[in-house]
Structure formats: structure tokens, C-alpha cells
Amino acid sequence: MELSKGWNLAQMAQNVANDIPDGAYVNLGIGMPELVAGFIPEGREVIYHTENGLLGMGEVAEVGYEDPELVNAGKKYVTAIPGAAYFHHADSFAMIRGGHIDICVLGAYQISEEGDLANWSTGDEDAIPAVGGAMDLVAGVENIFVITKHCTKSGESKIVKHCTYPLTGKNVVSRIYTDLAIIDVVDKKLEVRELAPGISFEELQELTAAELYMSNYSI
């Protein structure tokens, strides 16, 4: 497959942002998911929640204007929008576990065809556990969006029949955004909603270690 095919990181983030409705309360995972905040369509309001105790997170702080007491869960300096609220760490997780967050965007090591997610450890003996709030998020948030490259650097599919890495949660993923496609998890099946430019369904299936189906709502 030619390297020019598919979406770049910015386009992947924009795909996710386009699917976040106006007025949604959203938690963004560390890394690639953080890019989504920069692509919310103009005129659409999204309220960002971070599990270390902030509702109403703004943009990343400009250099020279960082507040050492205002960071996100990934320890990056951020800003707060007018009306933002600060609260105890336990209250933040009560919001997550109580179902008060509409959408969470996470990265992934593996996603199974049934929507299982593995995103905190590869299981290697020397791996450092880094689950953070992910297990609480997948258990308490109804819509889990995953943004990830379709394949690993070595060419292995991240979308598999069964996860082989330690699970974050079972049957939790709603939609997958990769550089090659947007895929919905519906009734424990993977339905391709949209193919990236230059990618055919046959090519996508060849690069995916789980069975795919074309969605009735595909673009």
C-alpha cells in the first residue's frame, strides 16, 4: 500500500471532532486523543473534563504563560475556560463512574471485533503499568471513541479477533478512528462507516486481523 494513502494525524483527529455533538462533556486520553480538541468545528461548544479535577479545560497554555497549578491528567500545562470548575480527584471519578461524561476518546494497543479494548499494557515483563483512569472511563462513559493507527510500526493489525494484551474493558468501544477507516462496533461486529481516500474495502480487510462488514450508513 502506498504511503500517500489514508488520513494523517490531523485528519484523524478532525474525523473524531466532527462526530462530537454540540454541548457534549468529553474526556480526552493522553497522546493522540489530545489532538481532537484543536479540531472542534467553529460554533460548536464542547466541555472538556480531566480526571485530575477540572471541568472546562481550555487550550494548552502558551509558553511563558504556564500556571504550575493548572495541568491536565497528562501533566501538560493547560488553560481554563470562563465558568470552569475545579474539584477533588474523588469527585472527578464520581462524575466518570456516575455516567456524567458523554464521550471519552482513548488510544489503543488493540481493539477486538467485539469492542474489547487493551490500551494500558503490552504485557511485557519490563512494561510499566500505566492504566491511569482508563478502566474507570470505559466503565462509566457510554460512548468510547478510539483513535489509533490501523497497524503497528511492524505492520501488525491493531484491530484483532481477540485481544492478546491485558484488557482495559470488555465490549466498551463504540467507534474506531484509524488512518485507514472509521469503524463502528455494532452488536459485536465491526462495520466500516467510512474508508480513507485511496483505500478500498479489500485493502482494509487485508490489513485487519478481524472480519469487517460494510455499514448501511457508510459514506
Side-chain angles (χ1 to χ4, degrees), residues 22 53 58-59 124 126-127 184 201 205 210-211 218:
D22 187 46
E59 298 177 351
D124 293 338
D126 58 349
D184 288 328
F201 180 82
Q205 182 62 81
E211 189 170 2
S218 58

Side-chain angles (χ1 to χ4, degrees), residues 51 106 119-121 128-137 167-168:
E51 58 261 39
L106 295 170
N119 83 332
W120 67 280
S121 174
I128 300 173
V131 68
M135 285 185 178
D136 295 271
L137 287 161
L167 289 184
T168 309

Side-chain angles (χ1 to χ4, degrees), residues 58-132:
E59 298 177 351
V60 173
E62 295 182 13
V63 176
Y65 292 90
E66 300 94 342
D67 182 344
E69 295 185 351
L70 187 53
V71 296
N72 64 13
K75 300 179 182 179
K76 292 183 179 178
Y77 294 113
V78 294
T79 58
I81 65 172
Y86 305 93
F87 33 83
H88 192 279
H89 197 77
D91 293 326
S92 181
F93 275 84
M95 297 169 74
I96 294 170
R97 296 167 185 170
H100 302 291
I101 307 301
D102 299 310
I103 295 171
C104 178
V105 185
L106 295 170
Y109 289 130
Q110 290 179 330
I111 314 101
S112 83
E113 64 183 8
E114 295 188 355
D116 300 341
L117 175 65
N119 83 332
W120 67 280
S121 174
T122 59
D124 293 338
E125 290 185 3
D126 58 349
I128 300 173
V131 68

